[in-house]
Amino acid sequence: MLDALTVALSATALALAAWCGHAAYRNQPTKDWHFIGMAVVTVLALAQLTAGIVQLARGERADQGSVIFIAYLIGAFAAVPAAGLLSLSERTRWGSVTVAAGAVVLAVLEVRLYDIWKA
């Protein structure tokens, strides 16, 4: 895996979590700016998914197995978009909490992906 991409994705996910958590603290739903932030995080997750699949296709192997690595890659890619879709159905502060939680989940998945690849 690309360590710089993993760190960048974790940092942007945690920044999104803090931003949406602050919106929830201020009793605000997710707004258009939050969705732009989710799009940035999703593009980075797509880049990581692509890089991971390319590395596996080149013959590199994850230390803990390719199947679990691909499953975590797909889960990391889907975490923030799924939270964003859920926040659309909940147009209160809890929509912002949902996105913040999804971003924290993504950051945790990044740590696990690093462990799976480097173990």
Side-chain angles (χ1 to χ4, degrees):
M1 285 298 297
L2 303 173
D3 293 341
L5 184 58
T6 302
V7 169
L9 185 52
S10 297
T12 55
L14 290 175
L16 178 65
W19 187 21
C20 290
H22 181 67
Y25 175 75
R26 295 183 60 198
N27 204 19
Q28 296 176 344
T30 50
K31 298 187 178 176
D32 291 342
W33 292 107
H34 296 119
F35 286 100
I36 292 170
M38 285 183 259
V40 169
V41 171
T42 302
V43 166
L44 287 173
L46 178 62
Q48 184 182 43
L49 175 68
T50 304
I53 290 173
V54 165
Q55 284 183 325
L56 288 175
R58 286 192 319 201
E60 298 179 39
R61 295 287 169 232
D63 288 342
Q64 295 183 15
S66 297
V67 173
I68 193 164
F69 179 72
I70 291 173
Y72 270 90
L73 276 176
I74 293 170
F77 173 70
V80 171
L85 287 174
L86 286 173
S87 76
L88 286 174
S89 66
E90 184 62 46
R91 300 302 295 168
T92 63
R93 70 185 293 189
W94 296 106
S96 295
V97 170
T98 302
V99 174
V104 170
V105 165
L106 175 58
V108 171
L109 287 173
E110 290 302 309
V111 172
R112 183 68 180 120
L113 274 168
Y114 182 79
D115 288 343
I116 292 169
W117 188 258
K118 297 274 185 180

